Amino acid sequence: MQKSRNKKMEVASIRRELTGERLVSLTRLAGDSGTDEGERKLQLIWQNFRIQDCTKANAMVLGTDHPDFLEGKEAAAGNSAELFEDSLFPAGVAGVALEKLSSVHSHYFGSGFEKVVGKKLRAFVSDRYEYDEKTGRVKAPTKMLSKLRRTEARELVQDELEYQEKVKDKMASRGQAPKDPPKPVGLATTDNIFDPDKRPRYASTKLTPDECEERGSMGGGGMPNMNMGAGGGKGGMPGMGGPPIFGF
């Protein structure tokens, strides 16, 4: 009697934590599951309050402000169905042995199925799923599996579309990033641009070719006098010191 009273008080304490809430993390609500107290509280939550994604790391307990809030045996039945379907859906048409479902249920709820849900396990699975009396195996109905596969296919398509959209956004952001202007090809650097003050000079005179030509033209009119005599001699060239001769 005392034990039953303590259990009701513990359940009432958990409900107070859910009051005014929509979703509460299962791990936060249950506390440390590594202790006896934490393990017991976790089992009480499974038995009395509806859990969303109950076997996943991000499992959430529905609070009183959630539209699907359930408690008591209705919540236990909902948790049981979700727990069984986590095993039945991957198994497909092969199904799962009834004994295995019973063992899995006992692990999470910490109590017998009928005591928690208020219904025998065999009747429960027969109402919701396909149960073969001869083989003792339970499998999800074909319609349920087909619906699940369609849902999964839609989710995969949606995931692919979201991924493609992210890739497009990433490529667009790369295209809009500022870039350095392209450098002209084949253009000489400023160091190689022609500078008239830096023309090559002869080592002997330290003059440029143009400066040498200018000095030659200013130093006596060019070639020296090549006069070969007064008369010039037969066939000789006339003196170049006289006036220039034009014509032939």
Side-chain angles (χ1 to χ4, degrees), residues 39-247:
E39 182 68 21
R40 175 174 171 78
K41 189 175 183 180
L42 180 62
Q43 291 174 349
L44 288 176
I45 296 171
W46 273 87
Q47 295 172 16
N48 295 277
F49 301 99
R50 185 70 176 94
I51 306 172
Q52 190 177 67
D53 298 325
C54 54
T55 59
K56 297 180 181 178
N58 60 342
M60 305 294 288
V61 184
L62 307 189
T64 57
D65 286 359
H66 196 283
D68 297 328
F69 173 77
L70 291 174
E71 57 185 328
K73 294 188 183 305
E74 289 183 348
N79 292 338
S80 300
E82 185 174 335
L83 179 64
F84 290 161
E85 287 162 12
D86 282 346
S87 298
L88 293 174
F89 288 158
V93 295
V96 180
L98 183 64
E99 291 80 3
K100 183 176 181 180
L101 294 180
S102 177
S103 176
V104 170
H105 188 275
S106 178
H107 170 75
Y108 284 95
F109 285 80
S111 184
F113 185 90
E114 186 175 359
K115 183 179 179 180
V116 173
V117 181
K119 193 174 187 178
K120 291 186 178 295
L121 175 60
R122 187 170 301 181
F124 182 86
V125 297
S126 296
D127 290 345
R128 292 173 177 262
Y129 315 112
E130 295 179 2
Y131 174 61
D132 191 334
E133 292 279 356
K134 294 181 180 178
T135 61
R137 299 185 73 82
V138 184
K139 64 180 181 179
T142 304
K143 288 184 179 180
M144 187 179 290
L145 290 174
S146 299
K147 183 179 179 181
L148 175 67
R149 292 191 183 100
R150 286 196 297 269
T151 302
E152 289 177 342
R154 284 195 296 270
E155 290 175 353
L156 288 173
V157 170
Q158 185 62 31
D159 290 344
E160 180 64 21
L161 291 175
E162 290 177 0
Y163 172 76
Q164 293 294 340
E165 193 65 29
K166 288 180 180 178
V167 171
K168 288 180 181 179
D169 291 342
K170 193 172 182 181
M171 295 298 291
S173 63
R174 285 181 179 177
Q176 294 171 1
K179 296 182 179 179
D180 295 334
K183 297 179 180 179
V185 180
L187 228 79
T189 61
T190 55
D191 293 340
N192 295 329
I193 295 176
F194 175 74
D195 185 353
D197 294 332
K198 295 184 179 180
R199 288 176 294 181
R201 298 175 181 272
Y202 293 113
S204 59
T205 62
K206 306 300 183 184
L207 301 175
T208 65
D210 292 345
E211 290 173 343
C212 287
E213 290 179 6
E214 290 173 2
R215 290 218 175 171
S217 63
M218 296 174 60
M223 294 178 66
N225 191 351
M226 297 181 66
N227 190 357
M228 298 181 65
K234 186 178 180 179
M237 292 180 66
M240 304 211 36
I245 299 174
F246 298 95

